[in-house]
Amino acid sequence: MKIICSKSNLSKGVNIALKAVPSKTTMPILECILIDATANQIKFVTNDMELGIETMVDGTISEKGMIALDAKIFSEIIRKLPDNDVTIQTDDKLNTLITCEKAKFNIPGKSGEDFVYLPMIERDASITLSQFTLKEMIRQTIFSIAVNENNKLMTGELFEIKDNYLKIVSLDGHRIAIRRMELAKDYEDRKIIVPGKTLNEISKILSGEVDDQVTIYFTKNHILFEFDQTLVLSRLIEGEYFRIDQMLSSDYETKLKINKKEFLSCIDRATLLVREGDKKPIIINITDTSMVLTIDSAMGSMDEEIDIVKEGKDILIGFNPKFLIDALRVIDDEEITIYLVNPKAPCFIKDDKGSYTYLILPVNFSQAR
Amino acid sequence: MKIICSKSNLSKGVNIALKAVPSKTTMPILECILIDATANQIKFVTNDMELGIETMVDGTISEKGMIALDAKIFSEIIRKLPDNDVTIQTDDKLNTLITCEKAKFNIPGKSGEDFVYLPMIERDASITLSQFTLKEMIRQTIFSIAVNENNKLMTGELFEIKDNYLKIVSLDGHRIAIRRMELAKDYEDRKIIVPGKTLNEISKILSGEVDDQVTIYFTKNHILFEFDQTLVLSRLIEGEYFRIDQMLSSDYETKLKINKKEFLSCIDRATLLVREGDKKPIIINITDTSMVLTIDSAMGSMDEEIDIVKEGKDILIGFNPKFLIDALRVIDDEEITIYLVNPKAPCFIKDDKGSYTYLILPVNFSQAR
């Protein structure tokens, strides 16, 4: 195989492909990037058996062929080469010569035949949306998936297409995050659970531009993202997702509007008195037109008052400050609306259009104190 | 005590004072910043028993007094407060109330009486130079002090004032770094060894501006840096520094001029084939008008040619690439001159003015290979 590509095209391809290289694996071939130039296009392929990536790299093929190169070394070499044309050439013994200007690297390769190709999937049911939207929807929900693997379902996000809307849901047992948006066309109803890891990686590859599109294909066991010159294929999480509808209620006793930035800064200040792992709640006392936040820990105490606009009853309620911070950080609105029922019922932060809903369970602070 | 300062002045003072707060100590009082407002100025004082800092903070004293506050908590609070005036007030029980706008923090303080004050030193012998120069001279030498404490002298830098020149020297047994510059005035000859840690911390505090001055006072056991509104006092390392003059020779067999950036990028590329802890030398083959760098490791091999201007003999010599990289990174010249004698003698990178000299010992690569 002999190919010539610009350093910048190689860099782009490598950076995308790296996202599906496993950090630990019992199959050393998967630590490689497969360079496939057997047809008329140069493709970089990686696969960690759950997530697979295939991306086209612009360049010239002088001699068709393929080679698998250690992803880490190959990416380091590309990154440090001068900004010029790079030639990648292999010999019969799979030795690979990478040259750029006067620099010559010689590294051993592995046979491309040994590589685990991505499964072919049927491109049947699909939806198309802007890369910006998908990236935002992931960012605004991914923080509330569960970190530990005790409940596999909680490590993924529900993608639900229904009545012409895409709804993304994540939950970890203490909170729920929901983002919803209208689709441009009518699609068939569908429910799948996508691994959180896949969504994290795809977020890093998506351009995030409003004008760039991404098409998502669904099969029974896989999801395929197609955009720019890249395909990202992931297994789905099997099982039935939690029925969240019964947890969402629109009844409330207290409704308040508050400046988001002010609320966030205040909680942020309060939490500096809480050591990591220490489960100190932040106590919120809502009376008339003000909200007083209080925190009390071994390091000291803090309180601060914020102006609000309130409807309904006064309430005293405690929260894990991290859950509030996580939700507030991803909301773009300047002013947010919070709905409360009583000190033991979940609070809701949601907008009128129903484009986002964050449910957070309160903390029983009389005990925690 | 009651003082009022702007958040930005407090931040500035805290950031400077933090540099002398020990991370580990058997004396908990030293984990504090002492706020001393007993006289007509607000001073922040910190001391880790080797390094001490005293910095003035602009503000108003409503009630004289002093308090020692946990440095970590205090700095975090200041950092997260809104950008406005901050009031710090203590009561009889040393409880400290920090208020800014509607935010109120309450943290316990410690008696300032228990704090270990900086020793008074005589301000006798001194030199004055620009903060830029001092910061640069430290940056250009500090990388070659020894990291481990086996030889205490090697963990510091020699400051030598002689014949109207300030010379800073560091060495770790494999290399020597020397920076020399002419002083504006005539000073008495003097030789002291300053701890590397002190120089690292002072570098972070110095503005680095050409127009800002720093005055350095010397006593038998201490060095005192005075600049802006800050005093930094450090113990010296006792002992007699190495006689480096006998290691410096101006004889050479090969002299070459090379583009620094090209040389550095080339070594940088070569080292990506070397795993950390692996002692692979880079081999340099100098013939006529070119230099070929070669590296050979379990990961692969690399070679690259660079144009040079050479006087004298051809030579084949090996180096630890890290030592070359460290020196090349801090040299500002576009073109550098390297002097070589034979494959077992040290190489010198130095300029004609004698403002810098980097000595690097070669590696016996026939064995290492």
Side-chain angles (χ1 to χ4, degrees), chain A residues 292-329:
Chain A
V292 176
L293 283 89
T294 315
I295 203 152
D296 219 329
S297 84
M299 284 189 254
S301 66
M302 182 264 193
D303 63 87
E304 183 163 352
E305 196 182 322
I306 305 176
D307 294 335
I308 55 168
V309 175
K310 192 195 75 167
E311 279 173 36
K313 290 186 185 171
D314 289 356
I315 182 171
L316 183 68
I317 189 167
F319 288 103
N320 177 334
K322 182 184 179 319
F323 294 164
L324 287 171
I325 289 175
D326 284 347
L328 293 174
R329 274 202 187 132

Side-chain angles (χ1 to χ4, degrees), chain A residues 73 76-78 80-82 100-108 262 265 268-273 275 298-307, chain B residues 73 76-78 80-82 100-108 262 265 268-273 275 298-307:
Chain A
I73 297 173
E76 278 285 292
I77 290 175
I78 298 302
K80 295 217 168 161
L81 285 178
C100 180
E101 291 179 6
K102 286 182 177 174
K104 288 187 208 121
F105 279 92
N106 215 313
I107 56 170
E262 225 175 292
S265 311
D268 198 34
R269 276 194 280 281
T271 50
L272 66 87
L273 292 177
R275 277 205 196 81
M299 284 189 254
S301 66
M302 182 264 193
D303 63 87
E304 183 163 352
E305 196 182 322
I306 305 176
D307 294 335
Chain B
I73 297 173
E76 277 286 292
I77 290 176
I78 297 303
K80 296 216 168 162
L81 285 178
C100 181
E101 293 181 4
K102 286 181 176 175
K104 291 189 204 118
F105 279 92
N106 215 313
I107 56 170
E262 226 174 294
S265 309
D268 199 33
R269 274 195 281 280
T271 50
L272 66 88
L273 293 178
R275 279 208 193 78
M299 283 190 258
S301 66
M302 182 263 192
D303 63 87
E304 183 164 352
E305 196 183 322
I306 306 176
D307 294 334

